[in-house]
Amino acid sequence: MRRFNMAVLAAVTLSTALSAVPAHAGEAGGSPGLAHCTAGACHFDVPPGTYDVRVVLGGKTASATSISGETRRSLLPETAAPAGERVTRSFTVNVRTPEGEPTGPDGTPGLDLRIGGSAPALAGIKVTPARHTRQIFLVGDSTVCDQPGDPYSGWGQQLPQYLREGVSVANYADSGESTVTFLGNPRLWATVRPLIRPGDLVLVQLAHNDKTTDEATYRANLETLVAGVRERGGQPVLVTPIVRRWFNPDGTLNNSTALLVNGLGVDHPAVTRSVAAAQDVPLIDLTAKTKALVESLGVEGSKALYLTNEARDNTHTSVRGAMAYAGLVRDELVTRHLVPKGKVRVG
């Protein structure tokens, strides 16, 4: 495995291409890191781990820059910098193999960042191994995972942009998984569980693919996941599933398809709430939150949250929908004091 230079620095400016700009005070030289960046992208040859990324944004003209990385993860929302001014932002990113879905392709070794936004301008970047990081592990299905291709996006893919340096997201959600398959596949729970450290959060949202799972098994599987997290010293958080966009004639989502009641009559959100109460586990009722949002937008307005127009898909979310649902999760993490308010980005 190739070594990582602890002092990796890059000073670049982005227009149609990247060119060197004078180093800022405290950045020794700046030029050694230019080889890590090309037009619109930076690559750092680092081993799997967790890294703090500090970026300096801005240029001679007004700019607006966003940063994504690895498998289409949103790491920094579009950030404005007035003309001639610099804005510094930091975030923490998880680098792993596979870099996206655990059962998917390995992806590219190292850390890959993409520079976007309506008027991008990157004036400096520094990547260092994170020393004091709280990890948020995600256990879920395709509505949560790092989706490999546009226009799909899981809400876990959008969550990192709402977090500041010191908190990172390790998204182990995987398409097609149920509570049964997530526990049974050695690339999933058996891989995640040993990585959990004391104080880490583990958010569990599994239900969409438990179509033939009976209630006793579904309940027992959730309890097994909760126990496994606690045995490692982590904090389990149960998350009820996002709704399917399946309206009744009266404009409500009060039906089995929308609210994830399977063919055996198992009410997944209700069972999740019950397990959370019985096990004294924090609950994020994303079913209730997403139901309220979708109903408030109505039949037409809610199409933009899902891939209704693009793929006739009322289960999986667009980038816009995933961002909205990740924002709901962010709010609940703060409200329930699971993540300090100072560690999240608002707006």
Side-chain angles (χ1 to χ4, degrees), residues 187-198:
R187 299 183 70 179
L188 298 173
W189 183 237
T191 296
V192 176
R193 188 176 175 277
L195 301 175
I196 301 169
R197 301 170 304 179

Side-chain angles (χ1 to χ4, degrees), residues 287-311:
T287 305
K289 295 287 184 180
T290 56
K291 178 178 183 293
L293 178 57
V294 171
E295 288 181 342
S296 71
L297 292 172
V299 174
E300 289 301 317
S302 62
K303 288 179 179 179
L305 300 181
Y306 291 81
L307 297 172
T308 306
N309 294 328
E310 297 87 344

Side-chain angles (χ1 to χ4, degrees), residues 2 9 18 41 50-51 59 103 106 122-123 126 131 156 176 188 194 196 244 287 317 327 330 336:
R2 287 171 285 184
L9 293 173
L18 295 173
T50 306
Y51 297 89
T103 62
D106 284 353
L122 178 65
K126 180 179 181 181
R131 298 185 181 279
L188 298 173
I196 301 169
R244 294 190 178 102
T287 305
T317 49
R330 180 262 328 262
R336 300 185 181 284

